[in-house]
Every structure is written in structure tokens, then in C-alpha cells.
């Protein structure tokens, strides 16, 4: 059976070239990067090279890159670190309604500790409401955060403008660039943010490694206490193979960024065109303009059927997709992102996210559309809601 992976927003395959770079650091150069002997120094050299290289690729200084276990930790650190560092200054924070669970569930916990959050709405394509954001600013606002690109519907947010608004009011500005990194040209100076999260497994790097960029001079407390790693800001023995793989994956992603973005967006556009033309009662969620959404993202609601039923039928045919975001799968709650863009609960339940990668082909797109058509037709034939709808139409 064919195996077609269309869930690149959840995670990606480790690039063979990345694995090759990582392998010696498991068995040959295995020293603790904090040790002072030759074993340690060799490991530290690789970590320094990776930090320098990653910093250069995003326009940062090496001393502004802090390695973490990934996007979730970096998001937690940014929120909790600012709350701890600036609690004397204020207790109000602003985030968008469509942030990842790593942000929103942290916000809910911080609310229990007495911090107050404003959750800013988005329009029907998922773009943040800048007026509402600026109007929400209070004298005690200490944090403004918005993701650079949404993981479910691919909307690319106006972070540069958000950073300008934040800084006009002297407020710290954070972006979660987990989905954007490796797909878009990301430069911290151009964006103007004070901190930014990113994670290697979203661009063919290893899982469990990411970074928080923290601009020089920003006051932020540590999240994880321990040894002197990461200039005492993040304790824990450095995962040297993962750090090496992180840098190599980002280097390769940036080198081929334009080429991959063009290739992947052509697959996405072909898919969107075919699905829209060939399957009735579908709604494309997220921006209509392909340049305003992540190159790899297509998100469709299929009327009168359940997303889970589509997902499992496609899975049986060897096709991997996601209903909502991977992180919320397992929960039957409708996606908070879809509800925020005004999709009804019922329609939200019939939603599937398709995210393409450079390994996918045009033939795969054709095959998936055929399977999807069959699946949707079969499920609708069994759907009482669809039957009712067609009876009404035929009267
Ligand atoms: N932020 C966004 C926007 C994401 O899409 C994800 C993962 O899907 C995360 C954060 C969490 O990243 P990680 O899997 O590295 O913890």
C-alpha cells in the first residue's frame, strides 16, 4: 500500500544529511559539553558552532540563542519568565485567541496565579485584530504575544506591526515562530520582536530540541533551574547530537527555502483547486491568498461529516492527515482556531488539515484527491444530516 504523509505541521521526517551529522555525537564525541577535558571541549565546540550558525541564520547574536527542549518549553519560558521578571511592573498580558496550546494552557495556569490576560480576536481568515490589540493595552501590560504563523490554518500574522505597537507602549513582544521557521524567511531584526520560539522537528530536524531567542537586554527569569548551561538561564545537560542536528536542519531549510516554498505551495494550490472544484460543500479555512498562508497548509471543512471519520478512512488508505491540530487530537472539542474565525461547531467537527512537504509529489496530490472524493461521498451517503439536506434541496 502507498504511504502518503500529509501531516508536516505535526512533525517532519529527519533529513538523512541531518542524521549523518548527528551520529558521531552519540558514540564518538559524547562528552558533556560542560566538562573541561578534551571530550567536553569537543562537544562544546559543536554546540558553539551550532549556536553561532543558528544565530546568523535568523539575524541574532549567538548570545541571544538559548537551547530548549522545543516549542512548548520555549513558549512556557517566554510567558512564565516575563511574568516572574516583571510582576512588580504589571500583571496584564495580551495574546491572540489562536495561539498554540503551549501558550493558551500556560496562560490559563498563570491566570490562577493572579495574572490577567486579554485574548485578541481574529478575522474570518485568522488575521489578528490590531485595533482590538492596541485598545487592550493597559498601564500594567507587560507582554504582547502572537504566533508568526498559525499551525491549523496557516495564517501569517503581521508580527512586525504588532512589535511596533508593543514597543510604542514600551511592552515586551514575543512571537511563536514554530510553524514559520524553515518555511518563511525569519529575521528577528526585521520582525523587531524581543523573544521568539522555534523547534527543529518542524523543518526535518530532530524532535525534542528548539530554542528561545531572547534579545540582549531583555529581563526574563529562567524556567528551568540547574547547572550553568545556557549561561545559567536553562539548566540541564546539553543534548549535543540534537543541537548539531538542529543547526544542520535549519541550514538546509534556509539554503533551499525559496525552492522548497515554491514546490510545496504549487502542490498545495493544485490540491486546493481540485478539492474546491471536485468536492461539493467544502470550505477552505484560512487566507484565500496563498501568499498570506504557510506554503504547505490547506485546511478544509467538509459539510455534513465528521473529520475523524475522514481521517480514519484516509489512514486505512495509507494517507496521514490531521483533524484540527495534532496537539488537540485525542480531544473531541472543536478547534479553538476554527471557532475564532467564525466556523460553527458543527462545521469545525468536519475539518481536516493537510500539510505538504518537500517529499510529496503531484501524483500523490491526485491520488489523495481521488481517495478523498470516494471517502466523502461514502460518508455522506451514510450521513443523516446530508440526507436531510439533499431531501430539502430536492423538494
Ligand atoms: N507552537 C506551535 C505554533 C506549534 O505548532 C507547536 C507544535 O505543533 C508548538 C508550539 C510546540 O512545539 P514542540 O512540538 O516543539 O513542543
Amino acid at each position: 500500500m502507498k504511504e502518503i504523509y500529509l501531516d508536516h505541521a505535526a512533525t517532519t521526517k529527519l533529513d538523512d544529511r541531518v542524521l549523518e551529522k548527528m551520529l558521531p555525537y552519540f558514540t564518538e564525541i559524547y562528552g558533556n559539553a560542560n566538562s573541561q577535558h578534551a571530550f567536553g571541549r569537543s562537544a562544546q565546540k559543536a554546540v558553539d558552532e551550532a549556536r553561532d550558525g543558528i544565530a546568523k541564520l535568523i539575524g541574532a547574536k549567538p548570545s541571544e540563542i538559548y537551547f530548549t527542549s522545543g516549542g512548548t518549553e520555549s513558549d512556557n519560558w517566554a510567558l512564565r519568565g516575563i511574568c516572574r521578571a516583571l510582576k512588580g511592573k504589571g500583571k496584564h498580558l495580551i495574546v491572540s485567541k489562536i495561539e498554540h496550546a503551549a501558550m493558551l494552557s500556560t496562560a490559563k495556569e498563570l491566570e490562577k496565579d493572579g495574572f490577567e490576560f486579554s485574548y485578541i480576536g481574529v478575522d474570518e481568515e485568522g488575521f489578528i485584530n490590531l485595533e482590538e490589540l492596541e485598545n487592550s493595552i493597559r498601564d500594567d501590560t507587560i507582554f504582547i504575544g502572537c504566533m508568526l504563523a498559525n499551525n491549523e490554518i496557516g495564517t501569517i500574522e503581521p508580527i512586525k506591526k504588532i512589535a511596533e505597537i508593543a514597543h510604542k507602549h514600551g511592552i515586551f513582544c514575543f512571537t511563536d515562530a514554530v510553524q514559520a521557521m524553515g518555511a518563511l524567511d525569519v529575521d528577528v531584526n526585521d520582525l523587531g520582536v524581543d523573544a521568539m520560539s522555534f523547534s527543529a522537528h518542524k523543518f526535518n530536524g530532530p524532535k525534542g530540541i528548539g530554542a528561545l531567542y531572547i534579545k540582549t537586554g531583555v529581563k526574563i527569569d529562567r524556567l528551568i533551574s540547574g547547572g550553568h548551561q545556557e549561561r545559567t538561564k536553562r539548566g540541564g545537560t546539553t543534548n549535543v547530537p540534537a543541537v548539531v542536528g538542529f543547526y544542520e536542519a535549519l541550514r538546509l531549510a534556509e539554503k533551499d527555502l525559496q525552492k522548497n516554498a515554491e514546490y510545496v505551495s504549487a502542490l498545495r494550490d493544485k490540491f486546493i483547486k481540485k478539492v474546491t472544484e471536485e468536492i461539493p460543500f467544502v470550505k477552505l479555512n484560512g487566507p484565500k491568498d496563498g501568499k498570506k498562508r504557510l506554503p504547505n497548509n490547506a485546511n478544509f471543512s467538509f459539510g455534513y461529516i465528521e473529520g475523524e471519520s475522514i481521517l480514519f478512512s484516509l489512514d486505512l488508505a495509507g494517507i496521514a492527515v490531521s483533524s484540527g491540530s495534532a496537539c488537540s487530537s485525542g480531544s473531541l472539542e472543536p478547534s479553538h482556531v476554527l471557532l475564532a474565525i467564525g466556523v460553527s461547531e458543527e462545521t469545525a467537527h468536519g475539518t481536516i488539515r493537510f500539510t505538504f512537504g518537500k517529499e510529496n509529489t503531484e501524483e500523490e496530490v491526485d491520488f489523495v484527491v481521488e481517495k478523498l472524493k470516494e471517502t466523502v461521498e461514502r460518508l455522506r451517503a451514510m450521513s443523516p444530516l446530508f440526507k436531510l439536506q439533499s431531501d430539502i434541496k430536492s423538494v
Side-chain angles (χ1 to χ4, degrees), residues 125-144:
E125 292 195 323
F127 294 104
I128 191 162
N129 184 334
L130 291 174
E131 208 176 298
E132 186 188 339
L133 182 134
E134 192 154 18
N135 289 337
S136 304
I137 293 174
R138 312 191 321 207
D139 289 345
D140 63 344
T141 305
I142 54 172
F143 180 108
I144 295 181

Side-chain angles (χ1 to χ4, degrees), residues 213-238:
Y213 155 79
I214 305 174
K215 193 177 175 169
T216 308
V218 164
K219 201 166 168 258
I220 182 165
D221 277 18
R222 69 172 76 86
L223 180 70
I224 297 178
S225 308
H228 291 275
Q229 294 88 359
E230 302 302 300
R231 283 90 70 216
T232 72
K233 283 258 193 232
R234 199 270 186 186
T237 301
T238 307

